[in-house]
Amino acid sequence: MLGLRCIVGNLRGGGRLLRSLPRLQKTFVSMPPPTSECQHARLLHHRHHRLPVLTQRNFLSQGPDASVRSARMKLRTRAAVTLLFGGGLLAVWWYVDSEKQKRRRQQRVEQLQRAALGHGNFSLMDHHGQRRTKRDFLGSWVLLYFGFTHCPDICPDELDKLSAVVSALDRDASLPPVQPVFITVDPERDDVPALERYVKDFHPRLVALTGTPEEVKDAGRDYRVYASPGPKDEDGDYIVDHTILIYLVTPDGLFLDYYNRMKNEEQITESVRNHINSYTPTSDQN
């Protein structure tokens, strides 16, 4: 009712009120206290419409910056938590996988040791005509291959691969030298001079061995090597069908692992390196 009386009472002066409204808004802060009920009502009405505008301006001048800073802080916190959580998961996965690989290698070593390969002691002639036995290689890691010099492709390829593995291991100063050894399965044609010519194409430390048919057969039998000469052609040439494997022998003279044709240079190098780094010497030497 008070508002109605004020509106009716001031109807004649409405024009003056509208004209003075901008001036009143500008001087709102410095306005003196109201002296009448009508003035008090007008002041309340003015404040009712003025306060939301001031509040909105205050929000626009301060609110967005605070929101952006808060959002950035939350984003950084989430990123840090994600990195820490992801790093922890990665470390756990790496540890579990490493332990699993160690167990697999240990199981493979145990299985191969039960195969009882390479426990004998061969006695053969090297490519310099010197008598060599298995004892001469004790204390060294050995990569051993059985083949023959007249082999058209497989034996040269495997000896090239063996030589590359030895060279790669030689470049790792933390590893001991690995001795490459070649034993012929064709003593009839592979005498000392033939072997001496043959080894020049491969690693400079390669030792080639031959002997009598019985000596060669005994050496191959110890590693369960199969060798069978094929029929001779009109020139007397023939191919020897034989086991194609590279054997890894420990410094104790014991067979530890083997690599077939499907294993490449990098795979063999990594396997030999792992065996050397995890090897524990035994007291059972031949």
Side-chain angles (χ1 to χ4, degrees), residues 111-235:
Q111 292 172 354
L112 292 173
Q113 287 176 343
R114 287 195 293 268
L117 297 181
H119 286 265
N121 183 31
F122 59 76
S123 178
L124 299 168
M125 302 289 292
D126 68 13
H127 60 278
H128 297 301
Q130 302 293 320
R131 176 65 59 174
R132 306 291 292 270
T133 69
K134 183 179 176 181
R135 293 183 181 276
D136 294 329
F137 299 98
L138 293 180
S140 299
W141 287 89
V142 173
L143 280 174
L144 172 64
Y145 179 76
F146 289 84
F148 64 107
T149 63
H150 286 72
C151 181
D153 48 21
I154 295 177
C155 290
D157 290 344
E158 291 301 290
L159 285 174
D160 279 335
K161 182 167 64 177
L162 186 152
S163 298
V165 169
V166 173
S167 296
L169 295 170
D170 283 344
R171 290 192 290 271
D172 189 340
S174 67
L175 301 177
V178 176
Q179 176 62 54
V181 176
F182 169 71
I183 298 180
T184 183
V185 294
D186 184 21
E188 181 179 339
R189 292 179 296 183
D190 290 343
D191 54 14
V192 170
L195 292 181
E196 186 177 12
R197 293 190 299 270
Y198 192 66
V199 298
K200 294 178 181 179
D201 294 331
F202 306 103
H203 195 277
R205 287 205 310 273
L206 178 63
V207 174
L209 301 173
T210 187
T212 66
E214 190 60 32
E215 290 172 339
V216 169
K217 186 178 296 185
D218 287 343
R221 187 185 299 116
D222 192 31
Y223 291 91
R224 299 184 184 178
V225 173
Y226 167 80
S228 176
K232 295 181 179 181
D233 59 19
E234 58 184 12
D235 297 325

Side-chain angles (χ1 to χ4, degrees), residues 11 28 38 52 54 65 76 98 117 129 132 138 162 180 183 216:
L11 183 61
F28 172 74
C38 293
L54 295 176
D65 290 341
R76 293 191 185 119
S98 177
L117 297 181
R132 306 291 292 270
L138 293 180
L162 186 152
I183 298 180
V216 169

